[in-house]
Amino acid sequence: MKLEEIYAKYDEIIRKDSSLPYIKCKDCNYTFFYARHFCPKCGSRNIEVLKSSGIGKVFSWTKIYRKGETWIYGIVELEEGFRVYCNFTDNVKIGDKVKVKIVRNDKYYSILASRV
Ligand SMILES: [Zn+2]
């Protein structure tokens, strides 16, 4: 699978219902989010693009204060086994169950996690 094909598949999954895409290695079962055309763990190109349930738990978080605004930012570990950086829409604690959505504006994607 070429990188352009992976980007196209990611785009399709995101546009359909704001679900989070991810990649699974068919050789070693490693899962990851960032679009790559090979497995970062074993180097295999035998990979597939899948749609995540979006359900995960808070792995870490921090508050960012900037220009009078506050963001809660951190890492979610999805039930499929991979992790993503995201913005939290609520105050969270490590281990809280969250649902992750990915939304697209003109140029950028942003990943948002809300407590469930
Ligand atoms: Zn692999």
Side-chain angles (χ1 to χ4, degrees):
M1 199 175 221
K2 291 181 181 167
L3 199 53
E4 302 84 67
E5 293 171 312
I6 293 168
Y7 285 134
K9 187 78 182 165
Y10 266 44
D11 215 43
E12 184 188 315
I13 291 170
I14 293 164
R15 283 178 189 278
K16 193 174 176 199
D17 56 7
S18 296
S19 289
L20 194 66
Y22 71 103
I23 298 172
K24 183 175 187 179
C25 174
K26 291 182 184 175
D27 288 336
C28 75
N29 288 323
Y30 187 67
T31 55
F32 53 101
F33 169 70
Y34 287 101
R36 290 181 182 151
H37 63 292
F38 61 90
C39 172
K41 190 174 181 193
C42 76
S44 170
R45 290 172 186 259
N46 188 17
I47 56 171
E48 60 183 334
V49 176
L50 298 167
K51 179 173 125 173
S52 168
S53 66
I55 300 295
K57 60 185 181 185
V58 178
F59 180 79
S60 71
W61 64 271
T62 188
K63 273 189 184 172
I64 298 171
Y65 301 94
R66 189 167 163 225
K67 295 180 181 173
E69 286 186 70
T70 305
W71 289 285
I72 307 170
Y73 185 71
I75 299 171
V76 168
E77 185 166 74
L78 280 299
E79 62 184 12
E80 291 88 1
F82 66 99
R83 294 175 187 164
V84 289
Y85 285 95
C86 56
N87 289 297
F88 294 103
T89 60
D90 312 297
N91 283 309
V92 290
K93 300 188 305 290
I94 287 172
D96 280 354
K97 190 176 178 187
V98 290
K99 168 95 177 174
V100 173
K101 289 256 173 201
I102 181 165
V103 289
R104 192 193 153 108
N105 56 32
D106 288 348
K107 286 185 183 165
Y108 303 106
Y109 294 114
S110 48
I111 303 177
L112 303 173
S114 306
R115 276 214 315 260
V116 288

